[in-house]
């Protein structure tokens, strides 16, 4: 996951830098790192620290959600991480409470709950 995040931050940073009309040296100077270090970040070979990510967001005028791939990139309709969390799984308080309760059960109890759920679904 860390490698994928580094790649996402790098690609997003490159797109934002090009959109801003800046060179790698310009961005590196603005965020206070060597040009080579920024180049490694942009190629996805390393992740920036949190303070460096903040300076990067300011320099590129992009939010951390865009740079980390949590929001759609400009021109793209979907986040690169969209397939990581199944939609609708934990979207209600009731579902989250149920999942927390189920996690505390032992294996035989889980099997029994599965049978109950299957029976309820069959009646619907």
């Amino acid at each position: 996951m860390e490698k994928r995040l580094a790649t996402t931050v790098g690609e997003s940073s490159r797109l934002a830098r090009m959109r801003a009309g800046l060179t790698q040296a310009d961005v590196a100077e603005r965020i206070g790192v060597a040009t080579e270090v920024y180049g490694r970040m942009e190629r996805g070979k390393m992740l920036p620290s949190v303070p460096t990510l903040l300076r990067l967001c300011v320099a590129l005028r992009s939010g951390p959600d865009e740079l980390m791939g949590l929001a759609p990139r400009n021109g793209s309709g979907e986040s690169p991480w969209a397939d990581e969390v199944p939609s609708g799984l934990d979207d209600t308080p009731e579902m989250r409470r149920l999942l927390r309760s189920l996690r505390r059960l032992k294996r035989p109890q889980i099997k029994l709950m599965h049978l109950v759920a299957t029976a309820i679904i069959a009646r619907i």
Side-chain angles (χ1 to χ4, degrees), residues 3 39 56 67 83 97 103 108 119-120 124:
K3 175 65 178 151
L56 189 59
L67 293 183
D83 60 342
R97 273 195 300 275
R103 285 186 188 110
I120 290 171
I124 296 177

Side-chain angles (χ1 to χ4, degrees), residues 55-118:
R55 291 191 305 271
L56 189 59
C57 290
V58 171
L60 297 175
R61 298 176 188 246
S62 294
D65 53 341
E66 179 186 348
L67 293 183
M68 294 189 330
L70 299 173
R73 293 181 187 146
N74 285 351
S76 163
E78 194 171 272
S79 161
W81 296 94
D83 60 342
E84 292 293 315
V85 179
S87 63
L89 181 63
D90 292 330
D91 60 353
T92 65
E94 293 83 8
M95 182 60 78
R96 289 191 297 269
R97 273 195 300 275
L98 177 60
L99 289 172
R100 276 195 305 274
S101 297
L102 290 173
R103 285 186 188 110
R104 286 183 256 152
L105 298 177
K106 293 182 178 21
R107 187 176 206 91
Q109 295 168 318
I110 291 173
K111 287 181 179 181
L112 181 60
M113 289 304 299
H114 175 71
L115 291 172
V116 170
T118 303

